[in-house]
């Protein structure tokens, strides 16, 4: 082989000569996401792997090729990661980690939080009907609507179970992006729907929750929810198993592994594989734009639903409940609860709403899983 052929082969392998305009658009989007994650601190654990997966697939599309698309019958690295998403393995393991990390005490101490968590699911059901109106099928609409719960793992889980893997990429990116952008999206609507007086409301300290209550809670929730909706067992079951690891006090090693090492390994695999679904060809189209818009609408409706019920409960209880905690009913744990705390502290720096907001926040996780189980039951999955 002469020198000229060597140079030609090297040049032919360079991505510059194979990328299209859309790839460069997605590369810019990936860089913006990296900026938001690193410079602004918007949920870097999610955005950095997602953005980097997005960067990789738009520079080197082969990294996401299936074995059938390659000449040697070996799939790309991130294709194998993504199979774990499609098989619902990574979403279920994420729930295991979330359960091991989360204190359900605020929810147990204030059961009314369940109502605010349920109200925040308004976004899911409203998005379902909006998607139907935009021409999506029933199963597609159900998969898209779960974005309104601000719950990436559940979005992936339902999309896989309903067989809608062709739109899994846009759904996953929208869900995780909105989870990361909770501090930007929610506050304007929280302030719009509440008065300064309401935002200043200080709630009474939560009652102490006994160890027995904390141990019984995940067991009882698993039995009740899974008897009613057995299809929720992979999510609710893993969530409650992780929490039982935490609260039982006898398997500290399992709790530590689930909430740290395992959780972060899964986040790396899931985040990069989700980002790798955003090739320009798959992502830059009208369907994706509709999905992203529907996801944002659903998320806004979920926030509004939680806050409005919070206002109603505030009036019923004579001003004992701060409506801001209702916005935490979307299941972005613990970001949404932190946003409730932040907005409340802006009105009154001495106001401490975080633990109160964790009740609706945890209820939202359960509520979104139940919504997914409801859709699976409706479609006979």
């Amino acid at each position: 082989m002469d020198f000229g052929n060597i140079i030609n082969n090297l040049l032919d392998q360079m991505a510059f000569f194979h990328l299209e305009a859309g790839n460069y658009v997605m590369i810019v989007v990936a860089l913006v996401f990296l900026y938001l994650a690193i410079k602004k601190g918007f949920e870097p654990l999610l955005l950095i792997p997602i953005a980097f997966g997005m960067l990789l697939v738009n520079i080197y599309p082969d990294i996401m090729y299936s074995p059938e698309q390659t000449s040697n019958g070996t799939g790309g690295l991130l294709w194998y990661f993504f199979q774990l998403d499609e098989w619902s393995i990574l979403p279920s393991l994420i729930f295991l980690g979330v359960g091991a990390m989360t204190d359900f005490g605020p929810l147990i101490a204030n059961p009314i939080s369940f109502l605010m968590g349920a109200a925040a699911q308004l976004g899911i059901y409203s998005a379902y009907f909006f998607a139907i109106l935009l021409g999506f099928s029933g199963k597609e609409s159900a998969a898209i609507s779960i974005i309104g719960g601000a719950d990436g793992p559940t979005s992936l889980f339902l999309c896989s179970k309903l067989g809608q893997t062709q739109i899994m990429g846009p759904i996953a990116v929208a869900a995780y992006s909105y989870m990361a952008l909770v501090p930007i999206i929610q506050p304007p609507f929280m302030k719009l729907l509440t008065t300064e007086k309401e935002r200043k409301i200080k709630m009474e300290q939560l009652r102490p929750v006994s160890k027995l209550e904390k141990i019984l809670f995940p067991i009882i929730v698993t039995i009740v929810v899974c008897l009613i909706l057995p299809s929720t067992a992979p999510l609710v079951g893993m969530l409650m198993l992780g929490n039982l690891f935490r609260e039982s006090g006898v398997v500290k090693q399992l709790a530590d592994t689930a909430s740290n090492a395992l959780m972060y390994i899964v986040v790396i695999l899931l985040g990069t594989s989700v980002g790798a679904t955003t090739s320009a060809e798959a992502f830059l189209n009208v369907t994706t734009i509709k999905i992203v818009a529907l996801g944002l609408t659903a998320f806004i409706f979920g926030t509004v639903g939680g806050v409005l019920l919070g206002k109603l409960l505030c009036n019923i209880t004579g001003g004992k409940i701060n409506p801001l905690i209702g916005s935490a009913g979307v299941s972005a744990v613990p970001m949404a609860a932190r946003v409730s705390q932040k907005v409340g502290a802006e009105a009154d720096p001495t106001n401490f709403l975080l633990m109160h907001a964790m009740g609706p926040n945890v209820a939202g996780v359960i509520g979104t899983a139940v919504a997914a189980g409801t859709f699976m039951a409706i479609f006979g999955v």
Side-chain angles (χ1 to χ4, degrees), residues 141-163:
S141 299
I144 293 168
S145 68
I146 294 295
I147 299 173
D151 189 334
T154 306
S155 299
L156 289 171
F157 179 82
L158 182 61
C159 200
S160 173
K161 291 297 183 182
L162 294 180

Side-chain angles (χ1 to χ4, degrees), residues 167-376:
I167 56 173
M168 184 180 282
I171 287 175
V173 171
Y176 278 105
S177 298
Y178 294 142
M179 284 174 67
L181 297 175
V182 162
I184 293 177
I185 299 172
Q186 282 197 317
F189 296 95
M190 295 164 67
K191 293 175 182 178
L192 178 66
L193 296 171
T194 57
T195 64
E196 186 173 359
K197 181 179 178 181
E198 288 173 333
R199 294 195 290 274
K200 288 182 176 180
I201 292 175
K202 293 183 179 180
M203 298 179 64
E204 296 178 2
Q205 185 173 353
L206 293 170
R207 70 171 179 83
V209 178
S210 69
K211 183 177 179 64
L212 179 61
E213 288 178 288
K214 289 188 175 184
I215 292 174
L216 290 177
F217 182 79
I219 298 172
I220 293 172
V221 169
T222 300
I223 292 172
V224 173
V225 174
C226 294
L227 279 176
I228 296 173
L229 289 169
S231 55
T232 63
L235 294 182
V236 173
M238 288 298 100
L239 179 70
M240 295 303 158
L241 176 60
N243 190 249
L244 188 59
F245 286 165
R246 170 194 172 99
E247 303 300 349
S248 66
V250 294
V251 286
K252 187 176 185 297
Q253 301 93 327
L254 298 183
D256 288 344
T257 300
S259 61
N260 290 292
L262 179 62
M263 181 72 161
Y264 296 128
I265 290 170
V266 172
V267 167
I268 292 170
L269 298 179
L270 190 148
T272 51
S273 61
V274 163
T277 62
T278 60
S279 63
E281 181 182 4
F283 204 76
L284 296 178
N285 54 61
V286 175
T287 298
T288 297
I289 293 172
K290 288 180 181 179
I291 290 172
V292 171
L294 283 166
L296 179 59
T297 301
F299 189 48
I300 291 171
F301 269 70
T303 301
V304 169
V307 173
L308 290 180
L309 185 64
K311 286 175 71 76
L312 177 62
L313 293 174
C314 177
N315 291 328
I316 292 174
T317 60
K320 292 183 179 180
I321 292 179
N322 189 314
L324 291 177
I325 70 171
S327 67
V330 297
S331 61
V333 178
M335 285 175 288
R338 290 174 183 161
V339 171
S340 298
Q341 164 64 29
K342 182 176 180 292
V343 175
E346 288 175 359
D348 181 353
T350 65
N351 202 356
F352 191 75
L353 296 174
L354 182 61
M355 293 309 296
H356 297 283
M358 281 301 297
N361 207 184
V362 174
V365 177
I366 300 171
T368 304
V370 168
T374 301
F375 282 126
M376 284 189 282

